[in-house]
Each structure stands twice: as structure tokens, then as C-alpha cells.
Amino acid sequence: MDLILCHTTADFDALGAAVGLTRVLPGSKIVLSGGSHPPVRDFLALHRDEYPLIERRSVNPEKIRSLTVVDTQQRDRLGKAAEWLDLPHIGEIIIYDHHLGQESDIPATESYISSVGATTTLIVEQLQQQEISLTPAEATVMALGIHVDTGSLTYDQSTPRDALALAWLMQQGASLSVISTYRDPGLSVQLQQLLTESLENLEYFCLHGYTVAWVTLRTKNFVPGLSSLASELVELTEIDALLLANEYPLGEEDSRLTVIGRSHIPKTNLNVLFQLLGGGGHSQAASLNLRGVDSEAILKQLLDGVKAQIPHPLTARDLMSSPVRTILPETTIAEAQRILLRYGHSGLSVVDAQGQLVGIISRRDLDVALHHGFSHAPVKGYMTTNLKTIAPDTTLPEIESLMVTYDIGRLPVLENEQLVGLVTRTDVLRELHQERDEDEDGQKFKIQNDANATLTKFKIPLSTELQNRLVPQLWKLLTTASQEAEKRGWHLYLVGGAVRDLLLAEATSGTLMIKDIDLVVDGFHKSADVGAGVELAKALQQLYPAARLEIHGAFQTAALLWHKDPELDSLWVDIATARTEFYPYPAANPEVEASSIRQDLYRRDFSINALALRLTTPRAGELLDFFGGLLDLQAKKIRVLHPNSFIEDPTRIYRGVRFAVRFGFQIEPQTEEFIRYAINSGVYDRTAQENSKTPALQTRLKTELKHILEAPYWKSALQLLDNLGALQCIHPTLKLDAELLRQLRLLERCLRRFDAEQTLIHWEMRLEALIAHLAPEYRAKVAKNLQLQEDTIKRLQNLASAQTEVMESLPKCQSPSQVVQLLRQYDLPMLILIALQSPRSLRHQIWEYLTVLANVQPLLNGNDLKKLDYKPGPQYRQILDDVVAATLDGVIKDRTEAEEFLAQHYPK
């Protein structure tokens, strides 16, 4: 006999899951371990014969072959049926449940536990996989299970999997009229009386804008359906959380306490609180049953736990953009429109000469004025002056209420009558409807939303987990920096690549030593000015005197550099004030202005680099992801933030390729289109002709080439750059054809053979080989444009003539000494470049020269000549060269023959 066990006081989810499993396990029977919810009881009164239900007392334990437990992992919720779990002859014990984070005391042989809204969803997925169809009666009770446990898909624990399961059940014939009848059957007479009693005796406290209520009901017996009463209380009173306790006697000196919890407060987790007392459930709905306890003490413990979990509400200070872009009332409509275009804003705040806010003008207002031909009119005639404003400590619910009540898209934030920030509708929506959920431990994760991909979790590590991924000395440095920022009332963020690498790192590595760190100070709403980053860097140098401080005033940044430090090794920490940027023309250096962390992230290149981790309290460890970077990390995609990003800065193409190859990611299709459009537009050629300085095609491009060419994946990166046509950024004619690939492979052989000690800079040699593949007239020009070293420029400039001389003269050499005399005038890099472009025969001779002939030493030296009574002077050089030549040509073979050679050719 195969049995399916529902927990005591079975609900529709337990019953629905059990019914579905009878189709997965043909011939199995359902046992209701002990009672059921009133709606379930009423439902079964009419539909019991539709399902294979048997009573516990009719089971012969000796004939049980397997047990399947649904919707619980605790044996004490199985009543007396729990005794069957210990039978020695039971072959299988299987658990199906959707309550994560619970320690099971059932000796299961298999467990299927997943974060969905209802256990029934797991069974539906199995039915679909096995292509098992249902009767309408089976589909109806299973649909009821999902509807009730997910609040018809409105509870926070609801998932897309639940919705898909419900849709399938409807296709199987689930009756909507039956579902509507039993999903909300109304309260029984007894529960209605208790509802009245509860409303009269509810107690409340308010904290951080949230209302928590509690009540204890003392009855003579167990009351079924208290969960429905709790839901009704929450709905009627509009409270944010409820603890409903019911105490009833079991004897003269014994009693039982049932507590049902409900919470709509973000980041609270009732499951964690109730588990401490032996209960459990979901983060927003949990329950417990205790016997012989002090009900008041238990309730107080739970209330204290709820208080501790209630988060500090977000305020305008947390949401706002700061500083605010402002204009004067006399600013023309045309100029205001130009400012909006430059900064990408949807509106501008208007202030008077004293900095007092006098109005707001939106993009729509400007468009209307321009349409009617008033481009030269002042904005004061078109701005909105009837303003609603908020203070920095205005909470998110209050902000939301103002926006909804007055249909306002932006709220200025005033402090001491000065404009310090702006909260927009987008800011509020981002907080209210972020594409995030929370699992049972309160950790956040992303859901991959791709029709062709499996739905999986991408977990955002907690701050403690991120700490464990870094070496301790680096985390200490970040902690120190955050403390210094907090002293000044600023926020400090770890941004960009360091955050990306932390998220990609193995959770248990604990040894990540990031060598390049970017920190951003955001504190304009407190007291910081454009020099905040520099001030923080100076403060840190006082605490870390081994670091060298560099300040870049034009970009409002400072850098701390350690070189071979005993603890921090060679570390580079950039500290910047949050800023936005504007490119005056393509490939220029950007013009930067002070801004907020949100705008600072918005100016970055790719979504995976536009992440920030807050280091300062009170929200330390918070991860900022405004642009879907986490989803792209999960999908392994490189996605650019702005369509014109590559036109403004071609080095971003090289960065995107470097990240793609380094991490094994794919460049997102639209991003690839933007790359190809920028390259094919000819904008780089035009801007280079029109402007003497194009750093993104000069020094910054060289830096990106260095990063690529010194990495182990440089060949793959070059191939991807060539596929995109991006080598044109170096020169329009540069292509990675078969000949250049052959030369690069040969270059690697040369470097391994002739420069094992790496006296040459290998990435520069690879770059020289790329440039040498161009026509001779372009080589020096490209090298100068990239601002390479002077000897590199000269080498590339002289390469054509040197190659011509070698190719003409080397075949004419009749002896080894002539080969040496010809080739020794060139340094090793030049000979390698010549060899790369020479025929096999000449290349063989150059190879022989480098491996053999160049290493032949004279059989005599200057001291020997002195002992032989040759007068020191310029002739020594000539004598020794002749001795070497004679040695190379086999004329002399040992010291004696060398001395005879001297006597014959240089008589005293």
C-alpha cells in the first residue's frame, strides 16, 4: 500500500497536492492525518467520493510500502500517522513541500522542496512532464490549492511557476465557479463571534510607519479556521502585521496555544521567528502550536521579534537625485531644452538668484513652447509654480501618497528652504517594483526572464558573504574608508568591476584580492562638495602612510597606490566624487560635473559594470542595480547602457570585447548592432580630422590595447575585435587576415625562444606586429597617434628600409661573419619584426643568427691583447671583431690559432 499523508488540519494546498500525486503514483491512497480546515471539510462533504481518500484507522501498517508527505517537513504535524515513519519495512519516504529553510525531522529517502507559492505547483509540473491528464474534479481541487496558498497569485511568495500551473489546470477543466465558492467561503458563526471579539480587543503599536496588531482569544476548545479569521482581521483593519493567538484548555492544568502570524511589512520574515519556537511557514504567513506554555511570554517574544525585523523606512534622502540641475527664471526655452538634451533629464528646477525654488518646467512644457515658436521666451512664463515639496526625512509611503493624490511626477526636496534633491516617479517605482523577490532567508535574487531559458535564481550575496570573499586586509581597508565617510556625513559605495567580480566569485573562496578598486562618495545632500573624493583619499593616506596619493583635479578623483606592500601588495584605489559626464565631441575626454550615485552609475559603459555596493550605514551591504546588471551577469551578456555610448567613446568597444572574452560572455545583439553602426558611420575618422586631441583613439585606446594584449586571452579578443570591424579604430586598413595570424603565431615562438627572461615588453611587441602589418606609410603615424615610446616609433618608421636592406643583402652573404656584420646593427625587436615578414629562407638565417651566430664570443679579449703587448686603443675593437669573424668562418678554432692569426694580420 502506497500512502500520501496530509498534515493535520489539512488545507487545500495539502489536499490538492495529494490528489495530484495519486495520478503520479497510481493506486496510492490519501490519508488526512487529523482534521481539515473548515472550507476543506465543507468541500469534501460534497466531493469526497471523487478522490481516493481512506481513514487512518483503516490502514494496516504492515501493508504500507511507501509514504509520501505533502506540504510539511515536520513529523509532529502528521498526528498519529507519524508512527508509520518508523516502521522498519517502509521502502520509501518522500517529501513534497514549498517551505524553504526548515529542518526536517522526517527520515526521507527523497525530498522535493522548492520556492514556489504552493506545493501543488510542484505536483502539476510532474504531471506535465509525464503528460498525465486530469479529470475536472482533480483539476479543481488542485487549482484551489494554488489559489488559496498564493492568494490567487497576489501573495509575495507567488511565482511565475504557480501562474503557469494554474493555467494548465484551467486547461484540464478546473471549475471556476467551485473555486470561487470555496476559495473565500466566508466565516462560520463561531468565527464571526470571534471576529467581533478580536476587533474589540486588538492592541496596536506603530513603528517606522507600520502598524502591528495582536490579540489573544481564549476559547473552550480548538477553533478551526483561525487562518481565515486572521486574513479577515488584516483586511478589515488595514494593519501591516498581525499576531492572532488562541489559547484553550486540554485539562485542569494543561492548555494549548496556537499563534497565527500575518505580515505585509517588507523584509520581515515570520518563518524565521516562528521556527525559533517550533513553528514555521512562509516569510509573511506562519503559525505554531505549543502546549503548556506561558501564552503572554510567547506572544511578547514574537512581538519583540517583529519589532526587530521592521526595517527603517526609505526616505527622500535615500531616493533623491542630488545635486539638482537648476536654471534661472530668465533662462530661455531653447537653452532649457539644450540643457535637458545634454543631461538626459525630463524636467528642470527653476530657482531665483538666492537659490530659492520658484518653479519646475518639464520636457512637455518646453516642447509645447517650442512648437508655438517661443524658443527665445523665458521659462518663467511656462513653468509650474504651484509646487508640492518634501523634506529629506519624508518617508516613501508619504512620497507615494503625494504623487498619487496630486498626480505629480517629481517632488523637490527642501532643507532649510534650499533645494537639496529631487525625487521622481521613476525613483519611487524602482523601489516599489524592483524585479526582486526574497527567499526564505531574506536574501534577494533575480529571476531570468527568458522564454527559451530555464527559470533559475541568481542570488545576491549578503554583505557578510561578500566580506568572506575578500582577503581580510582588503575588507579592513573598505571598512576604514566607510567609517571615514560616515564621519563626514557621506555615503560611500564600492562600484563597477570590483562589485562584478565579487558577485562572480565563488562564495567560499575567501581569497579574492582585487587589485583595482573604485570607490564613489555621494554626499551632496549633507555637506560634501566637488572635492569629497579627494578629501576622503587624503584622510585615508593619513591612516595608510605607505600609500602614494595622486590627485586628478579635472576629473574630481584621487588615487591611492600601494607597491609591493606586505599586506596590500600592489593595489590601486580610485576615489571619486559621484559625477555625471558629457562628451563635447566623439572620442574626446568627457567633461565631468558633480552628481549623485545613480547618475554616476548611469554614465558607465555596461550594465554589469553599473553595480554599486553601499559600504556605509544604515544600509551597508545594499546592492544598487538600476540597469539590470544582475540579470545580465546571470545571462552572461555584455549589454551597453546607451545607444550612443560607442560613438562617444570607442574604447568601450575594446572594453566590451575584453569582458566578453575574459568571462566567457556574449555581446548582446543590440549592443553588437550599436558597435557596428558606430564603426561603419565613419565618425572616428571625421572626429580625428576635426580635432587634434582624441584621447579615446589615442592614449585611452592604447591602455585598452595593453589590457587585451597582455592577457592570456589576447588572441580570442583580437579575433572578436576583427569580427566586429573594431580594429579599424587603430587604422581603417587593419584586418586580422590569415597572414597577420601567421605572423602573430610566429611572434609568440620568437618571444618564447629569444626572450625567455622577458626583457622585452611582450604586449608592446604584439602591438608592434599589428602596426607593422600596415602599409609602411601608416606605421609611424599610428604609433605616434597611440603615443608609443620613441624607440618603438623609430623602429616602425625604419622597418621598411631595414627589411629591404636585409632582404637584398642577406642572400649575398658568403660567410657567417658577413651575416653577423649585416644583422648586428639591428636590435632584437627589429630583427623579430623583419623575420615575421620575411620568406622562410631569410627567416631561417635570422633565426640561426639569433640562436647561434650572435652568441659566438671572441677567443681573445682585451686583457689577452694587453698581455700580448698590443697597445690599448681604438684598434682593439677592430682586432677583436676580426677574431670573431675568423672564428665564425672557421679560420681559427682555438686560442693558439687566434694568437697566430694576430701575429699574421696584426704584427707588432
Side-chain angles (χ1 to χ4, degrees), residues 762-804:
H762 288 195
W763 77 265
E764 287 186 350
M765 285 302 303
R766 292 170 188 137
L767 181 54
E768 287 189 39
L770 291 175
I771 298 173
H773 191 60
L774 298 171
E777 62 268 26
Y778 301 136
R779 294 168 181 167
K781 182 178 180 181
V782 170
K784 289 178 182 177
N785 184 64
L786 293 175
Q787 299 183 19
L788 300 182
Q789 298 181 60
E790 192 61 35
D791 61 342
T792 299
I793 297 172
K794 288 182 179 178
R795 184 160 46 247
L796 290 167
Q797 189 171 26
N798 298 328
L799 175 59
S801 59
Q803 185 174 7
T804 300

Side-chain angles (χ1 to χ4, degrees), residues 355-392:
Q356 301 286 316
L357 180 70
V358 295
I360 286 180
I361 190 162
S362 68
R363 184 186 299 276
R364 183 168 49 189
D365 299 330
L366 294 173
D367 289 342
V368 170
L370 289 170
H371 175 73
H372 291 294
F374 292 99
S375 60
H376 298 293
V379 297
K380 62 184 178 183
Y382 291 85
M383 67 186 185
T384 299
T385 57
N386 184 20
L387 304 177
K388 297 291 181 182
T389 63
I390 54 177

Side-chain angles (χ1 to χ4, degrees), residues 523-549:
F524 286 88
H525 54 284
K526 279 287 187 179
S527 59
D529 55 22
V530 293
V534 174
E535 181 180 337
L536 181 59
K538 289 179 178 179
L540 280 176
Q541 195 200 25
Q542 296 297 315
L543 301 173
Y544 289 89
R548 186 174 88 253
L549 175 65

Side-chain angles (χ1 to χ4, degrees), residues 11-14 16-17 117-120 140-150:
D11 56 14
F12 273 116
D13 187 30
T119 302
T120 304
T140 299
V141 72
M142 294 183 74
L144 269 168
I146 298 176
H147 269 288
V148 171
D149 250 36
T150 65

